[in-house]
Amino acid sequence: MNRLVPVLAALPLAFLSTPAFAQTQALEQAAAAALESDTYAWDFVEGITTEVGPRQAGTEAEARGRAWAVAWLKAKGFANVADEPFMMDTWVPGDIARARVTAPFAQDLTVLPLGNSGATPAGGIEAEVVFFRTVDELRAAPAESLAGKIAYISHQMRPAQDGSHYGFAGPVRWVGPGLAASKGAVGVVIKSVGTDHHRNPHTGGTSFPEGVKPIPAGALSLPDAENLERMFARAKGRPLTLRLEMNPRQLGKTESGNVVGEIVGQNPSLPPVLLACHIDSWWNSPGAFDDGAGCAIVAAAALNAAKAGQPLRTVRVLMAGAEETGLWGSKAYSEAHLDEAIAVGIESDFGADRVWRFDSNFRESNPALHKRIAAAVARFGVSAGSDVATGGADLNIVRDQKGALIDLQQDGMRYFDLHHTPDDTLDKIDPVQLRQNVAVWTMVVGILANEANSILTGGPIPSAPKIMQAP
Ligand code: ZN
Ligand code: ZN
């Protein structure tokens, strides 16, 4: 069935010959073509995961990733391509990560350090483990009650389409180690913040409060964490001791950078549309889902939207550096460009599975535009949500400017099986769902880039992303 027929029937005849109509039609064609046969996104994510691989923030590996992205953007015809440098505090994981229960049931556990973790002395530490079922239990523990002990923190994370369990379980990683350290712990291990049952720990950033010395902090794979919990049950009150050895370290200040590129609009005096993702990954995977796919989707959308004709506004792609270890690139970009207005920001940083929901922060203040986008993405199976969009981690500049935001929410059922694990590899990307992302983004970017009027006309201004991707 020709989907255009009912739309055409509802339109006044005069509109059919206007430039606006021709432009809408060209955009619909570009998005439909992207759904069938986009190759930009796959080329980007296949290329960067193959030719670069892991891209730990602030290291030479991330620098190679940025150089690769710069070359790719230039080759595809982006203008004003640059790698804007900034300095950051760089943490590296080291090459030793061992955990062994020494009593009462001696055996090894699979562990990886968390980003910003401290190191153990050579040979490791050995201490009694104190079990906390939740981060709130740890919060309630008396001051100094963990002196000389290792804390273990659990949670009950489950897969959810909107990824919302990350919000419940995430604090175990984000603040658990800092809380344990502030109560005197000498080390901490957490149940990985994830949902798979492979023997892969999920790393990710943590942070320690001002004045609290970082302690060794590791993530156990989910099967190992469950094994540890069964040991507590069988220990029947006998002390459970763990030996932990890890050698991550802080390198001090090193350089990272934000890769940018533009499809220049017809009217460069209008604020641009900003499409964000992050170029860095953790060291333990090539970062296909997190966030090679996101950068692939935003770059492909910019290119496909431009196939419908030069947009009115400039479309700028921001591939932020060093997101994982503390949103360094997002903060640096906002600092450097705060006085350059952005029309609207959108980010892709939730894998490569299909987009299922659209939210904005202008549903009430600019209902006509919100409805137009909702109608345009419905054909791709995307529903209009009623949440206020908060933007992703790399959109600090838009939140700082109190600007317009759109969230194109991806299906999160598989995301936390792969997130920050060695399993985050290219084979997990479904090319059909990747192209659906590109098609949806092409429509949305095309509409926004051709919107002559101000996009946010008042309305709610979020101060932080809904789902934190780093501490
Ligand atoms: Zn990410
Ligand atoms: Zn991440």
Side-chain angles (χ1 to χ4, degrees):
M1 187 191 100
N2 184 345
R3 289 191 202 87
L4 284 175
V5 169
V7 180
L8 292 181
L11 287 170
L13 276 178
F15 181 73
L16 296 179
S17 56
T18 63
F21 177 73
Q23 193 264 329
T24 303
Q25 210 176 27
L27 184 59
E28 285 171 354
Q29 281 166 3
L35 186 67
E36 288 305 312
S37 57
D38 173 73
T39 56
Y40 294 128
W42 185 265
D43 184 65
F44 184 97
V45 68
E46 186 268 338
I48 197 165
T49 54
T50 305
E51 294 194 33
V52 182
R55 305 174 295 282
Q56 179 71 25
T59 70
E60 65 76 34
E62 189 204 39
R64 278 188 286 119
R66 297 199 311 276
W68 191 95
V70 164
W72 191 93
L73 290 169
K74 283 183 178 166
K76 294 291 180 283
F78 278 83
N80 304 322
V81 176
D83 183 0
E84 303 180 353
F86 58 86
M87 299 304 285
M88 60 174 289
D89 297 329
T90 293
W91 173 95
V92 288
D95 55 1
I96 296 173
R98 297 186 193 119
R100 180 174 177 77
V101 175
T102 48
F105 310 117
Q107 59 174 297
D108 292 338
L109 302 177
T110 307
V111 71
L112 278 183
L114 298 178
N116 296 318
S117 165
T120 63
I125 53 171
E126 187 167 345
E128 184 181 343
V129 184
V130 184
F131 181 7
F132 297 98
R133 275 166 192 80
T134 63
V135 80
D136 284 333
E137 264 189 35
L138 170 61
R139 235 179 229 118
E144 291 310 310
S145 61
L146 292 176
K149 306 265 173 64
I150 292 174
Y152 165 71
I153 320 164
S154 186
H155 60 79
Q156 292 296 326
M157 185 173 178
R158 294 288 179 272
Q161 189 176 22
D162 64 359
S164 53
H165 277 220
Y166 193 51
F168 302 127
V172 167
R173 190 186 83 224
W174 304 330
V175 301
L179 279 168
S182 66
K183 293 172 193 283
V186 294
V188 57
V189 286
I190 66 166
K191 182 185 198 175
S192 279
V193 175
T195 50
D196 68 307
H197 276 77
H198 289 190
R199 228 173 156 195
N200 289 330
H202 295 236
T203 188
T206 190
S207 63
F208 294 87
E210 198 71 36
V212 175
K213 189 171 175 283
I215 56 173
L220 301 174
S221 81
L222 280 98
D224 287 275
E226 290 172 357
N227 194 13
L228 184 68
E229 293 183 22
R230 289 194 299 272
M231 288 183 198
F232 272 105
R234 284 177 171 266
K236 298 196 169 36
R238 285 172 290 173
L240 190 150
T241 55
L242 184 79
R243 189 184 304 140
L244 184 65
E245 185 176 10
M246 296 193 299
N247 64 348
R249 63 190 195 284
Q250 297 284 350
L251 298 183
K253 296 274 181 212
T254 71
E255 191 176 280
S256 179
N258 287 319
V259 172
V260 294
E262 291 183 341
I263 303 288
V264 176
Q266 295 171 39
N267 186 350
S269 64
L270 285 173
V273 175
L274 184 69
L275 316 182
C277 62
H278 65 88
I279 199 79
D280 65 312
S281 76
W282 290 100
W283 78 96
N284 61 338
S285 86
F289 251 47
D290 186 14
D291 184 25
C295 289
I297 290 162
V298 305
L303 290 166
N304 285 311
K307 283 184 179 171
Q310 186 187 14
L312 187 61
R313 294 174 188 267
T314 291
V315 177
R316 183 179 302 156
V317 167
L318 163 63
M319 299 183 173
E323 186 265 359
E324 295 288 10
T325 56
L327 317 192
W328 295 92
S330 183
K331 291 172 192 163
Y333 189 82
S334 183
E335 253 169 50
H337 298 280
L338 193 58
D339 58 349
E340 302 160 28
I342 303 286
V344 57
I346 330 176
E347 174 164 311
S348 182
D349 185 14
F350 205 55
D353 285 345
R354 72 184 184 91
V355 178
W356 64 282
R357 203 181 74 197
F358 151 69
D359 287 303
S360 79
N361 67 339
F362 50 81
R363 187 166 62 102
E364 312 226 320
S365 64
N366 192 349
L369 181 60
H370 182 93
K371 279 187 194 145
R372 191 143 63 87
I373 296 170
V377 297
R379 75 195 68 183
F380 301 109
V382 181
S383 313
S386 53
D387 283 5
V388 174
T390 59
D394 296 304
L395 290 172
N396 269 12
I397 186 165
V398 182
R399 285 184 295 271
D400 292 347
Q401 290 181 354
K402 308 194 183 315
L405 291 158
I406 284 178
D407 289 343
L408 293 175
Q409 184 86 36
Q410 291 165 286
D411 188 334
M413 288 303 286
R414 293 197 300 154
Y415 188 68
F416 292 105
D417 288 354
L418 307 170
H419 186 239
H420 301 177
T421 75
D423 268 348
D424 182 3
T425 49
L426 184 71
D427 54 293
K428 308 308 183 302
I429 294 181
D430 169 4
V432 174
Q433 294 195 63
L434 180 67
R435 289 200 303 271
Q436 187 262 9
N437 273 268
V438 176
V440 172
W441 272 76
T442 297
M443 277 309 296
V444 174
V445 170
I447 290 170
L448 295 169
N450 289 291
E451 173 63 37
N453 302 317
S454 163
I455 290 165
L456 185 69
T457 55
I461 308 293
S463 58
K466 220 171 341 217
I467 293 187
M468 295 291 293
Q469 293 288 335

